[in-house]
Amino acid sequence: MTASRTPSIAEELRGAGLRVTAARVALLATVRGGDHLGVEAIASGVRDRVGHISLQAVYEALNALTAAGLVRRIEPAGSPARFEGRVGDNHHHIVCRSCGAVADVDCAVGHAPCLTASDDHGFSIEEAEVIYWGLCPGCSSNRSS
């Protein structure tokens, strides 16, 4: 029996029908190595890996990677878009109202969409997106002291 090998980022890009570029490889590695990063942080991480890249090129690459299902975009209300490499599951997020920290929360119950709508209006529901709001441990302790 042979062990399964994790595909390289280049192989994942090709498998998604995307052209492999140094910027896309660096971008996907940056998103996966980060924690719900914003566009500026992603651009900085890509620049650290490959040198200059325009913000427009970062947006275009993020749109392509999101459309291909390699990156997930989340947009908490009142916050800029954030990106993560955790895709293909039905997890949710918790956001700190004070500092904006974001953390993953596994699906509360069962399989996707893990929430049942009281009225689906004839839709075939595939996914439920939930954002929990509160204070992170650091902001909670700062508020109480």
Side-chain angles (χ1 to χ4, degrees):
M1 187 159 132
T2 60
S4 63
R5 183 180 69 78
T6 303
S8 69
I9 289 177
E11 290 169 333
E12 288 182 78
L13 290 168
R14 280 188 207 98
L18 297 173
R19 195 166 47 96
V20 177
T21 66
R24 283 182 176 166
V25 170
L27 192 145
L28 193 49
T30 299
V31 169
R32 288 181 175 168
D35 186 24
H36 305 96
L37 299 174
V39 174
E40 294 286 343
I42 294 168
S44 177
V46 172
R47 289 180 187 124
D48 289 346
R49 294 171 190 259
V50 298
H52 178 74
I53 186 170
S54 71
L55 207 50
Q56 182 62 37
V58 171
Y59 276 107
E60 289 171 1
L62 283 168
N63 286 335
L65 294 173
T66 301
L70 297 175
V71 168
R72 182 175 177 189
R73 176 187 178 120
I74 63 166
E75 296 182 65
S79 301
R82 308 259 189 122
F83 296 86
E84 66 179 333
R86 185 175 171 185
V87 297
D89 65 352
N90 194 42
H91 73 280
H92 308 298
H93 297 93
I94 187 162
V95 180
C96 179
R97 288 189 186 278
S98 182
C99 70
V102 179
D104 290 335
V105 177
D106 287 330
C107 189
V109 178
H111 302 285
C114 92
L115 297 174
T116 303
S118 60
D119 182 354
D120 64 15
H121 298 276
F123 283 68
S124 174
I125 298 174
E126 298 169 349
E127 180 179 10
E129 186 170 309
V130 175
I131 297 180
Y132 299 95
W133 294 88
L135 294 175
C136 70
C139 291
S140 290
S141 66
N142 288 344
R143 188 173 271 185
S144 65
S145 49

